[in-house]
Amino acid sequence: MAYKDLREFLAACKEAGDLIEVNRPISTDLEIGKALKKSYVENGPVIIFNNLIDKSFPAVGGVFGNRAKALRAFKATNDDVHEKFIQGLNNPIDPIIVENAPCQECVLTGDDIDLFRLPIPRFSPRDGGAYVTAGITVSKDPESGVPDIGHYRYQLHDKNTFGYFAQPFHRFGKNCIKAKALGMKKLEAAIVIGTDPVLGYTCQIKQVADDVNDWTLAGGLRGEAVELVKCKTIDLEVPAYAEFIIEIEVDFTQTRPEGPLGEYTGYMTPASDKNIAHVKAITHRQDPLFQVLLTGKPITENHILKNIPFEASFLNAMKKEFPTISAVSIRPSGGVQLYVVIAMKPRYAGEARHAILAAISSNVRPKWVIVVDPDINVYDAAEVEWAMSYRVVPGRDIVIVKDVPSAPLDPSSRGGEDLQAKLNDVIGIDATLPFGEKFAEVADVPGWKEYDFPELKR
Ligand SMILES: Cc1cc2nc3c(=O)[nH]c(=O)nc-3n(C[C@H](O)[C@H](O)[C@H](O)COP(=O)(O)O)c2cc1C
């Protein structure tokens, strides 16, 4: 059974002793950012901030705070989470439309809309303002009507206006580009805040075609249909059990400076003129909780959100062409993008190179791709470094491909301010044993893993 909503997940965290409530006054201006960072570094609990200065609602942070919380969200273990995820991905379940929804228990429109009442934090002094970072944006392809969900950041401009950032390679960005090309002046979207965390993880699936209805994937991953309700002022459906829904209309006729913001790369993205979004309605549950998350220098909630979905969906796609791939690691330390390790048993000479080139061409857009044999644990940096140290002949096993479309926010990428012009060089390292040749024998003590050594358990 999936968690129905964020509240059920928080109850599970509380039961596990992994939730605290802070009742002293806390500021959304810079203080939440520090508190969250400290908690991430110390592998801390989910935190409910009950007493936020000058705000009308409490906030919750750390829902995606570490791997243990991600595993709890999927009711999985480290050993079966990828398999479970792929099983869900390959067995989508259609959403259900409901008439009455908790997320619409309170409806604010017109003059009652005031974004300043929401606990939207300014995380760091260098940020351009206060940011909604934990919102799931729902938008539809303006031609086909297929819905998409993804995380996108929103800067608080004034009481009913946001700035936003949608990269041209992400589906909300593509929907905006298409709408503009069709001559549309506006595009409706909804920002969903506070749901069953599996919906958040669904947003980060890679290697899925643009015509896939993401709600069906969320249903598959939950093992149960997502219940959706029609928005009050726009033609979109949103999760019935969300804490908050902000119904917006993106306005292509106006721009305002948006940014800077500390990004998942660990570097600031500079400010630039971007389109704005008008808020048409805010709906919420009774006694709602507003969700917040910090992004920036790894490892933050941004990276935990991406880690399992990127790995599982990339593994699922790659295995179709390279069936002997047994594991992939897309490292949080590399922003869950730039540094990819693949374990595979090559079936023919050069297959590891084929896998490197396929990974480079995937929409993960890595900069480093390392292929090792299945005896190497891809999640263990020491084992990968050992393979690179002794199994690699640099003049033979390293591929550098120049001028490849790269992670657009990587500050080392070329191309100036145009995200679509970004290029970088990428490197592949074939650290597998030479194909069909005898290699030195591994010097390890056989049977140590199974050896029963009770005195060692402290
Ligand atoms: C916390 C968080 C914030 C994000 N913010 C943005 C953003 O502001 N703009 C953007 O283009 N991508 C952002 N992303 C990345 C996209 O959400 C992600 O690539 C997603 O896969 C896009 O899915 P879609 O193409 O189905 O919309 C963010 C990711 C996370 C985890």
Side-chain angles (χ1 to χ4, degrees):
M1 281 282 282
Y3 296 105
K4 191 163 204 69
D5 53 17
L6 179 61
R7 296 173 187 205
E8 274 197 16
F9 180 72
L10 295 182
C13 293
K14 193 169 181 180
E15 202 177 312
D18 196 19
L19 182 144
I20 56 168
E21 299 198 37
V22 180
N23 294 319
R24 67 189 161 87
I26 298 277
S27 173
T28 51
D29 194 43
L30 306 181
E31 196 175 0
I32 278 193
K34 286 183 223 170
L36 290 177
K37 175 75 189 191
K38 195 155 196 132
S39 175
Y40 300 159
V41 169
E42 294 182 8
N43 214 14
V46 174
I47 308 167
I48 296 177
F49 299 97
N50 279 322
N51 187 358
L52 291 166
I53 297 165
D54 293 336
K55 301 294 168 187
S56 304
F57 304 96
V60 59
V63 170
F64 308 106
N66 53 40
R67 180 116 179 156
K69 292 175 184 64
L71 296 176
R72 186 178 302 134
F74 287 106
K75 301 186 178 174
T77 64
N78 257 327
D79 291 336
D80 67 10
V81 68
H82 285 169
E83 202 187 308
K84 233 177 148 174
F85 197 103
I86 291 172
Q87 166 82 10
L89 204 53
N90 292 333
N91 293 283
I93 298 174
D94 285 340
I96 298 169
I97 305 290
V98 297
E99 290 300 324
N100 297 306
C103 71
Q104 294 175 338
E105 280 165 350
C106 305
V107 178
L108 303 168
T109 53
D111 283 347
D112 291 334
I113 296 170
D114 184 0
L115 294 174
F116 291 106
R117 287 183 59 218
L118 303 182
I120 305 176
R122 184 169 68 116
F123 293 99
S124 148
R126 293 193 207 95
D127 292 348
Y131 268 93
V132 176
T133 50
I136 296 173
T137 299
V138 185
S139 67
K140 282 185 179 165
D141 180 310
E143 272 179 329
S144 68
V146 176
D148 170 65
I149 59 173
H151 290 97
Y152 295 87
R153 73 191 202 197
Y154 290 86
Q155 181 175 354
L156 176 52
H157 280 330
D158 49 55
K159 77 191 271 273
N160 53 10
T161 317
F162 279 127
Y164 71 99
F165 176 46
Q167 291 190 42
F169 316 104
H170 297 156
R171 275 171 71 184
F172 180 39
K174 289 178 189 171
N175 290 344
C176 291
I177 290 170
K178 206 182 235 186
K180 280 188 212 178
L182 289 169
M184 292 164 63
K185 303 248 179 316
K186 297 191 167 148
L187 183 72
E188 294 174 338
I191 308 167
V192 180
I193 294 163
T195 62
D196 164 14
V198 171
L199 300 190
Y201 292 105
T202 307
C203 293
Q204 298 309 320
I205 293 169
K206 288 271 149 187
Q207 304 262 291
V208 167
D210 283 354
D211 58 0
V212 170
N213 177 336
D214 281 348
W215 296 124
T216 68
L217 299 183
L221 292 192
R222 298 176 82 236
E224 231 173 285
V226 180
E227 291 179 49
L228 300 176
V229 67
K230 283 208 166 303
C231 282
K232 290 290 181 190
T233 63
I234 56 177
D235 181 24
L236 278 174
E237 293 77 38
V238 288
Y241 287 86
E243 295 292 317
F244 280 89
I245 306 291
I246 308 179
E247 301 182 4
I248 60 172
E249 204 170 53
V250 167
D251 181 347
F252 300 128
T253 67
Q254 289 187 59
T255 61
R256 275 173 71 168
E258 188 275 346
L261 185 72
E263 264 294 351
Y264 74 95
T265 55
Y267 294 93
M268 301 301 294
T269 45
S272 63
D273 284 340
K274 299 191 186 75
N275 288 131
I276 58 169
H278 305 289
V279 177
K280 309 262 296 178
I282 299 175
T283 74
H284 64 80
R285 293 177 76 154
Q286 302 280 11
D287 302 320
L289 262 178
F290 193 86
Q291 195 179 344
V292 295
L293 68 79
L294 174 69
T295 182
K297 189 175 167 196
I299 297 170
T300 67
E301 286 188 70
N302 185 312
H303 308 99
I304 299 296
L305 257 169
K306 288 174 178 161
N307 194 206
I308 290 171
F310 269 46
E311 287 177 350
S313 50
F314 178 72
L315 177 65
N316 190 36
M318 288 288 282
K319 257 175 115 68
K320 292 189 177 133
E321 199 175 337
F322 305 98
T324 64
I325 291 183
S326 49
V328 299
S329 165
I330 310 184
R331 294 277 204 274
S333 48
V336 195
Q337 175 162 35
L338 294 204
Y339 194 95
V340 173
V341 186
I342 299 171
M344 74 185 287
K345 185 82 222 141
R347 295 167 300 169
Y348 51 86
E351 193 184 17
R353 249 167 217 252
H354 267 164
I356 287 169
L357 295 171
I360 287 171
S361 314
S362 74
N363 67 355
V364 173
R365 296 186 173 218
K367 192 196 276 180
W368 294 80
V369 183
I370 297 149
V371 183
V372 295
D373 289 284
D375 66 317
I376 301 293
N377 176 359
V378 292
Y379 308 106
D380 183 340
E383 290 217 6
V384 175
E385 287 162 16
W386 176 64
M388 289 207 283
S389 299
Y390 294 102
R391 297 184 184 183
V392 172
V393 177
R396 181 193 65 190
D397 295 326
I398 291 180
V399 197
I400 292 179
V401 187
K402 290 190 179 289
D403 293 327
V404 175
S406 64
L409 303 189
D410 174 356
S412 75
S413 292
R414 302 182 284 278
E417 288 189 3
D418 180 359
L419 295 183
Q420 276 163 306
K422 293 286 189 178
L423 295 171
N424 210 324
D425 302 344
V426 293
I427 178 165
I429 302 176
D430 176 1
T432 59
L433 295 166
F435 185 80
E437 288 174 31
K438 229 175 133 36
F439 201 74
E441 252 186 275
V442 173
D444 207 356
V445 183
W448 67 265
K449 269 190 197 155
E450 301 74 33
Y451 177 61
D452 187 22
F453 191 0
E455 295 85 350
L456 204 60
K457 292 188 187 109
R458 277 173 288 179

